[in-house]
Amino acid sequence: MLLGLTTALAATVCFGFGSVLQAGGAREAPHADRVRVGLLAALLRSWRFLLGTGLDIAGFALSIVALRTLPLFLVQAVTNASLAVTALAAARLLGARLHRADLLGIAAVVVGLTLLALGSGSAGRDHASAAFHWALLATTVLMLLLTFALARRSGNAAAVGLGLLAGVGFGVTSLAVRVLDVSGPLDLFTDPAAYGLALGGLGGYLAYALALQRGTVTAVTAAGTVSETFGPALVGVVALGDTARPGCAWCAVTGFVVAVGGTFVLSRFGEVESELGLPPESAGPGPPEESAEPVPPEAPPSGPGATRSGDHPGRPNGSAMQR
């Protein structure tokens, strides 16, 4: 138990800092309105994204020990405490300004996950039926199809949707690690869960990178945390037999509610500003100055540079109104 908790906590730190570094790398790449090979190539040229990915890989390797020895809801809860690490690291590394609501959300995540850890019991089965293994692979295929569809959209809704899909992909990898047949090389390569693990991880990273280009790192990570925590935890309890500590079910349920509430607070109020070194934006164009001399009536346009009848002298044009 102690070894599993230690590796899970170490993975949490890796995931938290990895998210912020990936955010910096993803925003250096050209904006993509669809899944392109050029996007992946641009990400592979970014040292920040590569370092963040390396931390994620290290965190995943550390979490394997925990996933095989602890209940899934405990492992997912502890590792997804990286949301708080992400917010604090973003404030330090990206110059983000965390408001009081952000700090309350971080505190709620920490308290909720602590209660959940205290209420956890023993791990259930580390094997499942063939149908369960095939279901993991089918889930990753559906996740990839939805990622391709959302990649054509922009805005906060698309960012949150892609973040949720990234969480689904990462959640499948956790479930696959738990039930993976490692009795031999042949069994491993013929196990559908092994391919679900690979596709879920790669698809999760792709969806996460696309989400980071469309929304704030804290909000995207919060959305992914909800799906990555709830899904495997529920499946672990229902299908694999994970249990809470006797008499502490209330503690586990309360911890889940508080932690998820904290993630929603961070998703709503977390604003990470990465444009460092830029002067603050002005409040907007002021009213047009009045001329001391009377303005003569507008003459009909007589040349290519003349004002058309639909234009209004003195009104800021579209470019002047941009922030």
Side-chain angles (χ1 to χ4, degrees), residues 3 5 18 78 112 116 120 132 147 168 172 184 194 209 213 227 247 255 279:
L3 177 61
L5 285 175
V78 173
L116 184 58
S120 65
F132 185 90
T147 298
V168 170
V172 168
Q213 290 189 324
S227 57

Side-chain angles (χ1 to χ4, degrees), residues 244-268:
R245 184 174 299 176
C248 294
W250 66 269
C251 189
V253 173
T254 303
F256 237 123
V257 172
V258 174
V260 172
T263 61
F264 276 112
V265 169
L266 289 173
S267 179
R268 170 64 179 87

Side-chain angles (χ1 to χ4, degrees), residues 270-285:
E271 289 294 334
V272 178
E273 299 172 0
S274 61
E275 292 83 2
L276 302 179
L278 296 179
E281 296 174 344
S282 61

Side-chain angles (χ1 to χ4, degrees), residues 39-114:
L39 171 63
L40 298 178
L43 293 176
L44 291 177
R45 290 194 298 266
S46 171
W47 70 266
R48 289 185 178 86
F49 194 87
L50 290 177
L51 179 58
T53 302
L55 286 175
D56 271 354
I57 294 174
F60 177 72
L62 289 168
S63 67
I64 290 177
V65 179
L67 288 168
R68 302 287 292 188
T69 58
L70 296 176
L72 279 168
F73 62 81
L74 174 58
V75 178
Q76 297 301 101
V78 173
T79 56
N80 280 294
S82 62
L83 175 63
V85 178
T86 295
L88 294 174
R92 177 67 176 174
L93 300 179
L94 297 184
R97 293 180 295 181
L98 298 180
H99 306 288
R100 181 176 301 177
D102 301 311
L103 298 178
L104 291 176
I106 293 172
V109 169
V110 173
V111 172
L113 297 182
T114 302

